[in-house]
Amino acid sequence: MSTTITKTAFWRGIRDSAPFTLVAGPFALLFGVLATEAGLNLFEVMTFSLAVIAGAAQFTALQLMQENAPTVVVIISALAVNLRVAMYSAALTPYLGRAPMWQRVFAAYLLVDQSYALSHQKFETEPAMTVPERMAYYMGTCMLVMSVWYGASLAGAIIGNALPPQIPIDFALPIAFLAMVAPAMRTLPHVIAAFTAVVVSLFAAAVPWSLGLVIAGAAGMIAGAQAELWMERRA
């Protein structure tokens, strides 16, 4: 009976995450194409996607690599973009923290925005779920999205290698960033954080080694956090 219940939870996770493949697939496809255009070979593109599994961080790193930024700047910037995942992990710990270590390690590797959002909401609305059920549901939310991400990255890399070099697709990278950022502008602190980061990045454009992006990101996070605290005090 227990195995049947966990299998059911797993397939519910698969089912609930299915709509997100409509977003993850095109982004992964675009990443594969742009990465090959930036000079990465098929092995490097797939290693990138398998190791990082984070659209925003991958696009950020790719942009900096195209600008010949130092490796340490590329790594710091990608980590800064992915800082939110640490908060996701902390928020899921009360629900999954008692799972076996190997499961938690695997869960940490697969943690992305979609799996966090679906799982946290499910665990909040169904507090009676056991730890094995929660882990099964969480893995279900990860597996389909990750499979699509890897497959579309591979397809994009193959397409990118086949495209004639005279076809200009550089414009696609900033458009991809805008498409990722726009849906996140849901509250005033989000807007303030984004506006601050944009303004600071313009003033910091001359900072060497593309460190202006790191400075702008930190300024945006500070401004957004301060705006959120200010709104909480007024409430």
Side-chain angles (χ1 to χ4, degrees), residues 151-192:
S153 294
L154 177 62
I158 294 172
I159 293 171
N161 280 323
L163 284 176
Q166 61 270 26
I167 296 180
I169 59 172
D170 294 347
F171 65 92
L173 191 52
I175 292 176
F177 271 119
L178 290 174
M180 284 189 288
V181 170
M185 299 294 102
R186 297 189 297 269
T187 66
L188 181 60
H190 291 160
V191 175
I192 291 174

Side-chain angles (χ1 to χ4, degrees), residues 76-132:
I76 291 173
S77 300
L79 288 174
V81 171
N82 263 5
L83 274 177
R84 70 191 187 287
V85 181
M87 293 184 284
Y88 295 167
S89 180
L92 290 176
T93 296
Y95 304 103
L96 302 177
R98 285 178 292 170
M101 175 63 79
W102 69 270
Q103 291 183 5
R104 283 182 281 146
V105 170
F106 195 44
Y109 167 71
L110 293 173
L111 182 56
V112 293
D113 299 288
Q114 295 86 354
S115 57
Y116 163 74
L118 288 171
S119 298
H120 193 267
Q121 183 181 25
K122 175 67 72 176
F123 302 158
E124 285 281 299
T125 55
E126 297 184 22
M129 291 178 75
T130 64
V131 172

Side-chain angles (χ1 to χ4, degrees), residues 59-72:
F59 279 107
T60 300
L62 192 63
Q63 176 73 49
L64 291 171
M65 291 165 64
Q66 287 180 313
E67 295 174 358
N68 297 316
T71 302
V72 65

Side-chain angles (χ1 to χ4, degrees), residues 8-78:
T8 301
F10 177 81
W11 286 111
R12 284 165 61 195
I14 292 279
R15 181 198 62 194
D16 292 348
S17 66
F20 289 103
T21 60
L22 300 176
V23 178
F27 273 121
L29 186 73
L30 181 60
F31 172 77
V33 173
L34 293 176
T36 55
E37 288 292 314
L40 301 184
N41 59 38
L42 185 61
F43 175 77
E44 291 169 335
V45 172
M46 292 313 298
T47 301
F48 205 157
S49 279
L50 286 166
V52 181
I53 324 177
Q58 289 180 228
F59 279 107
T60 300
L62 192 63
Q63 176 73 49
L64 291 171
M65 291 165 64
Q66 287 180 313
E67 295 174 358
N68 297 316
T71 302
V72 65
V73 174
V74 175
I75 294 173
I76 291 173
S77 300

